[in-house]
Amino acid sequence: MRLVIARCSVDYTGRLNAHLPLATRLLVHKGDGSLLVHSDGGSYKPLNWMSPPCSLSTEVPGDEESSAGVVEVWRVTHKKTGDALRVQIYEILHDTNHDLGIDPGLQKDGVEADLQRLLAEQVELISEGATLVRREYPTAIGPVDLMVRDAAGAAIAVEIKRRGDIDGVEQLTRYLELLGRDPHLSPIQGVFAAQEIKPQARVLAEDRGIRCLVLDYEAMKGIESGVPRLF
């Protein structure tokens, strides 16, 4: 990645035309070929940019540009659309290259695996006096996230999502149909647990006798947020 702080002006031509007048800006040229033009503001959003696939080439300033003080010209051209970002550089204040290596990607806090682990440790949120039978309880079509028994010994199958939609309810319905054939589990109850449950999914779940449980992830981690957890 190349980071350049320069006094520059920028022109974008193609499907739209845009102009950034002369000012000091940060130019970020990434390994994928993309170029981002940043100011000292606006948070993460660049003032203008060119996304890959694209290529950067340098041009010799014309006589008029040179007389105006331009020392270098960058042209970034999109390989498919032909759109171009032309940067007229008047002065380079800082220029460095950095090898960032391979990025492992974003690891989100609060993914389904985290929710499953926390709920397995706090099964009382599912039913008072409940006990955990097993995480990833196997069925012929895949494992249900949690198998729990309530204080009276009744089996409860729990499906956990970050955002609960109709597909998740359908998935739990299929699990319940299979698990209900086991005399050791029947009659089995279903709980659909998520940080957020869409209204349509709630209606479908309740119509099928499945209870909905809204999970307050921060509170489950021990950070009280004040958001109701069970509906």
Side-chain angles (χ1 to χ4, degrees):
M1 178 182 290
R2 184 182 180 188
L3 303 177
V4 176
I5 298 175
R7 294 180 60 248
C8 62
S9 63
V10 183
D11 289 281
Y12 192 108
T13 56
R15 290 168 295 180
L16 57 84
N17 295 329
H19 174 69
L20 292 171
L22 179 61
T24 301
R25 300 185 177 94
L26 169 65
L27 306 175
V28 180
H29 185 220
K30 294 187 177 181
D32 60 7
S34 61
L35 180 72
L36 296 89
V37 182
H38 283 276
S39 64
D40 193 10
S43 186
Y44 65 92
K45 189 175 181 180
L47 297 170
N48 215 327
W49 68 93
M50 183 65 73
S51 301
C54 59
S55 60
L56 185 150
S57 61
T58 59
E59 300 177 353
V60 177
D63 293 339
E64 187 175 339
E65 290 176 318
S66 295
S67 62
V70 177
V71 296
E72 189 173 337
V73 176
W74 294 3
R75 179 180 290 274
V76 185
T77 307
H78 197 276
K79 294 182 179 179
K80 293 183 178 180
T81 66
D83 288 13
L85 194 66
R86 192 169 188 270
V87 183
Q88 295 177 306
I89 297 176
Y90 291 76
E91 181 184 6
I92 292 179
L93 306 173
H94 177 82
D95 189 351
T96 57
N97 287 277
H98 305 272
D99 183 2
L100 303 186
I102 299 174
D103 192 283
L106 179 65
Q107 297 179 351
K108 295 183 178 179
D109 188 27
V111 297
E112 290 174 15
D114 297 320
L115 293 169
Q116 183 190 114
R117 174 182 56 80
L118 287 169
L119 192 55
E121 296 169 354
Q122 303 173 43
V123 290
E124 68 277 2
L125 294 175
I126 300 168
S127 177
E128 187 176 353
T131 56
L132 176 67
V133 175
R134 178 175 171 175
R135 293 172 58 179
E136 300 290 336
Y137 192 90
T139 78
I141 58 173
V144 66
D145 289 325
L146 298 181
M147 180 61 69
V148 173
R149 288 197 180 270
D150 66 15
I156 305 173
V158 185
E159 184 62 23
I160 302 168
K161 302 291 184 185
R162 289 188 67 240
R163 291 182 176 84
D165 56 21
I166 287 177
D167 288 343
V169 177
E170 294 285 5
Q171 182 181 1
L172 179 55
T173 300
R174 293 192 292 271
Y175 290 149
L176 292 171
E177 182 180 352
L178 285 173
L179 293 167
R181 298 174 188 174
D182 185 341
H184 298 289
L185 298 175
S186 182
I188 188 168
Q189 304 170 35
V191 171
F192 187 53
Q195 288 180 275
E196 174 189 349
I197 299 177
K198 294 183 177 179
Q200 301 92 329
R202 182 183 295 278
V203 170
L204 181 62
E206 292 175 351
D207 182 68
R208 295 181 177 179
I210 295 171
R211 186 160 53 93
C212 291
L213 175 66
V214 175
L215 302 175
D216 184 343
Y217 179 65
E218 297 300 326
M220 292 172 73
K221 289 196 303 180
I223 305 171
E224 188 59 54
S225 70
V227 178
R229 289 177 290 176
L230 178 60
F231 292 85

